[in-house]
Each structure stands twice: as structure tokens, then as C-alpha cells.
Amino acid sequence: MGLTSMAVLLLAIAAAIVLFALTIWLWPRLGKRSVGSILGRVGMMLATQLTLFAAIGLWANQSFGFYGSWADLFGQVKEEGVVVDHSASGKRVQVVNTQAVKVPRGNVPRVGGKIEKIQVAGVESKINGPAYVYLPPEYFQPEYANRKFPASVVLTGYPGTAEALIKGLDYPVRAHKLSKDKKMQPTVLVMMRPSIVGQRDTECMDIPNGPQAETFFTKDLRKAVAQHYRVGDKAANWGMIGDSTGGYCALKIAMRHPDAYSAAAALSGYYKAPQDPTTGSLFGGSKQLENENDLLWRLKNKEMPPVSLLVTTSKQGEHNYKDTMKFINAIKAPARVSSIVLDTGGHNFNTWRRELNPTLKWMGSRLSA
């Protein structure tokens, strides 16, 4: 059973409940002052606490996607890096491996689609990043052989793993079902972390004298995917979805680069880049650059581009509620804004699962093939 599976979480919860009840039941029998009784009490307490902490840890991991597998948790992932050939052939995408979508007959691409793990060579940004590409079933069907598809980049929060977008939030399965039910047009999903340079949180910026993450997402990634797959290369063909940090990145990139992305959706996103030990210095001391990356500042001081934006929040449980309302009220034409406002919902996977289907349908209605 996988680390993120519901079965593991329910098993841990059941074990904690059983051990707690067993401890209460056996405690009088272990009340003697003998060494055996003392060791029995200590053992029961430790076992109960361990299962309780395990259940809480598994729930937290399932909610926030810190680790994607047992091997990842215990630091045993031994998959080696992939050498990407940057020769004159101009090849920008290298497929590392493939996997089936977890739907009936998912191993047949024309029925279930396919997920490919790729390495993207960033020619302009000098950044090489991994991603998972979901190709819908229609991509492999003869009647769509000459069609180019819309694409949406899907970003995790920070920290996060791209695998969590597949295993935790079920993006491919959701997109497959919505398309099959005619509620969403077939769309290629490019799933990845916003942190594409080790563990540094770049906030998807071109950092002065540092990583050029914004260039990677706005130029390198789009060009590489459009060259390798049957995906359109115009802004109208591209959108971006993200949760938390990924949501901030999605909004900012669409607002700053409407020539690259025409639509963006932020699940529990925020509107100004933080600066902390994980980000380091983002702006190189430039107040102007800091303002340029402050989305509420942009709404007051910049003309809005013709992009479609979706923001989500909760009246209780989300810290971005007030800023989200400010953002919605400050949007000016030709930009368009939509929202999902839940009564309650925290900053976690459970909340985002409630928002994902309507978000995917919204995105599908905004992109052109």
C-alpha cells in the first residue's frame, strides 16, 4: 500500500483507536509494581502514542503532499539523474518513462491516455526541469491525428512534489472523467513543481543574478512542449493552474505575460511573494521589482491585460480571504475574474479536491484548441 493511499491512513487510525482502547482495558491488570507490569505500561503507552503520531503524520502528508512514496519518506529514492542532450538537434524534451492513467483500461492510450515523465531543457533560462505530461485519450485516437490540443501547466505549492498532483489530487483521472463526460475539452496537462532549481523557492521569478524561473515557464517550457507534442503555441492555447505558491505563480505569470498564457487559476493562492530563508533575496534590493511582483500593486498601477483569472478561497480556514476579495474587486477590463468561495476549508489537499473539478471545467472553457 502506498504512503499516500487512504487504506494506509485508515489502518493507522484503526490501530491507534484499538491500542488506545486496549491500553484502557488492560491498565488495571498492569497496575502492579513489578518490573513486568511497569514495562507493560510503558510499552502500551509508547505503542499508542506511536500509532497516534503515525496517523497524524499520514494525514498531514496526504493533505499537503510532503512525500510521494515510502522510499521518498525514508530517503531511499535512488533514481539517478537523466542526461539531457543539448546538441544541435534542438531537442528540448526527453521522455524518461511512462505510466498508465488509473482508469478502466488505462493501459490502452486511446482509452485511458498516458502520463509521460520528461526532462525539459531550458535553452534561454539555462534551467533543466522535470515534469509529468498527461496526454488525454483523444491524443491517440485517429480522428484527432491532425489536431493540436490546448495545454495547462499545473503547479504544486512549496514544498511539494509533482507526484502529488497525480497521486494526491488526481489531476489526470479528473481530467479524463470530465472529458469523457463532455464537461471539459481534451487538454494536455504539464504537471510540475514551481521550484525548479533544487530546494530554493524562487516564487517563479527571474531573480537578479540568480535562477531565471520566470523565463523557464514563459518561454522554455511552452516552446519545448509545443515542439514535442501536438500542442498549440499561442497564448490562447495555454493556461496555468496552481495551489498555494503555484497559485501565486499562475496569476502572476498570466498577468505579466499575457502573450504566453491567456488563463490562470489559483487555488488558495496569495498575491505577494514572501521573503524568507527558503526564498533568499528575490529582488536584489529593487523596490520596483518587488512592486512588479505584487499583484495587488499591479492592479492599482498597471493596465490589465486581456486574461481570464480564477481565484479560490474560504470564508473560514483560509488566510487569503480578505486579499482575494480585494483582488476580485480591483480587477478591471479587459481582464476577467471568476471565483470559488467556500464557506469553510483549510489550506490543504482536501479543500483543493473540492475545487478541482470546477477549476478544470473553467480552464477548459477558456482555452482554445
Side-chain angles (χ1 to χ4, degrees):
M1 291 184 288
L3 176 65
T4 59
S5 72
M6 183 60 69
V8 170
L9 176 59
L10 294 176
L11 185 62
I13 293 172
I17 294 172
V18 169
L19 281 172
F20 177 78
L22 196 60
T23 299
I24 299 298
W25 178 261
L26 295 177
W27 197 261
R29 301 184 186 184
L30 299 173
K32 300 177 183 180
R33 294 185 177 181
S34 65
V35 174
S37 295
I38 293 173
L39 291 176
R41 293 198 297 272
V42 170
M44 294 294 289
M45 290 175 63
L46 283 175
T48 301
Q49 290 181 12
L50 283 173
T51 54
L52 180 60
F53 287 135
I56 294 173
L58 287 166
W59 170 82
N61 185 68
Q62 194 176 81
S63 295
F64 296 99
F66 297 121
Y67 300 97
S69 66
W70 294 107
D72 188 21
L73 173 64
F74 293 110
Q76 296 175 339
V77 177
K78 300 185 184 299
E79 181 181 357
E80 295 184 353
V82 177
V83 176
V84 179
D85 184 7
H86 305 291
S87 63
S89 65
K91 187 175 182 180
R92 296 172 180 241
V93 168
Q94 183 170 327
V95 179
V96 180
N97 59 48
T98 63
Q99 59 181 281
V101 181
K102 292 187 176 180
V103 296
R105 298 184 65 204
N107 60 326
V108 181
R110 68 177 183 276
V111 176
K114 184 195 290 185
I115 299 170
E116 295 187 343
K117 184 177 182 180
I118 65 172
Q119 285 282 338
V120 179
V123 175
E124 295 193 42
S125 65
K126 310 303 180 187
I127 294 172
N128 300 326
Y132 288 90
V133 176
Y134 162 72
L135 301 170
E138 291 81 359
Y139 191 90
F140 304 97
Q141 295 170 3
E143 56 267 39
Y144 291 88
N146 298 317
R147 175 178 173 177
K148 287 191 174 182
F149 291 80
S152 182
V153 176
V154 181
L155 299 178
T156 67
Y158 178 89
T161 65
E163 291 85 351
L165 297 171
I166 300 172
K167 299 177 181 178
L169 292 175
D170 301 320
Y171 267 95
V173 173
R174 291 173 182 272
H176 180 279
K177 186 176 190 310
L178 288 171
S179 178
K180 185 178 179 181
D181 294 342
K182 308 300 182 184
K183 295 179 179 179
M184 172 189 176
Q185 66 172 318
T187 303
V188 172
L189 302 179
V190 184
M191 299 167 285
M192 59 193 310
R193 303 172 67 225
S195 304
I196 50 177
V197 283
Q199 296 304 311
R200 184 174 182 180
D201 180 7
T202 64
E203 296 292 316
C204 300
M205 274 193 57
D206 280 352
I207 299 173
N209 301 313
Q212 304 296 288
E214 195 165 0
T215 295
F216 177 86
F217 284 114
T218 57
K219 296 181 179 179
D220 290 330
L221 180 62
R222 292 178 67 257
K223 188 169 185 178
V225 171
Q227 282 184 351
H228 190 80
Y229 298 102
R230 297 198 315 276
V231 168
D233 57 4
K234 297 180 175 60
N237 310 132
W238 282 81
M240 186 175 283
I241 303 171
D243 58 73
S244 191
T245 299
Y248 164 73
C249 287
L251 294 177
K252 178 178 72 171
I253 287 175
M255 291 170 68
R256 285 171 56 85
H257 300 276
D259 57 332
Y261 294 89
S262 61
L267 311 183
S268 304
Y270 46 86
Y271 304 93
K272 183 178 181 180
Q275 290 201 81
D276 55 37
T278 66
T279 65
S281 176
L282 292 175
F283 310 113
S286 170
K287 185 63 178 178
Q288 179 63 27
L289 186 58
E290 183 176 355
N291 287 338
E292 290 279 350
N293 286 272
D294 182 334
L295 304 190
L296 293 176
W297 181 91
R298 293 189 70 86
L299 292 180
K300 293 179 181 178
N301 297 278
K302 295 281 187 179
E303 291 186 4
M304 283 299 297
V307 293
S308 296
L309 307 173
L310 171 66
V311 291
T312 80
T313 188
S314 303
K315 294 178 182 177
Q316 285 187 316
E318 285 280 20
H319 296 299
N320 74 337
Y321 178 72
K322 289 184 179 179
D323 282 344
T324 298
M325 293 299 107
K326 290 179 183 177
F327 184 84
I328 292 170
N329 292 328
I331 287 287
K332 301 181 289 289
R336 296 186 296 167
V337 65
S338 304
S339 68
I340 298 173
V341 180
L342 303 177
D343 288 332
T344 60
H347 197 80
N348 54 53
F349 274 26
N350 184 57
T351 298
W352 301 331
R353 289 188 191 102
R354 296 161 60 195
E355 299 165 341
L356 263 183
N357 280 10
T359 296
L360 285 170
K361 287 190 284 186
W362 176 89
M363 182 62 73
S365 70
R366 295 304 190 271
L367 302 182
S368 63

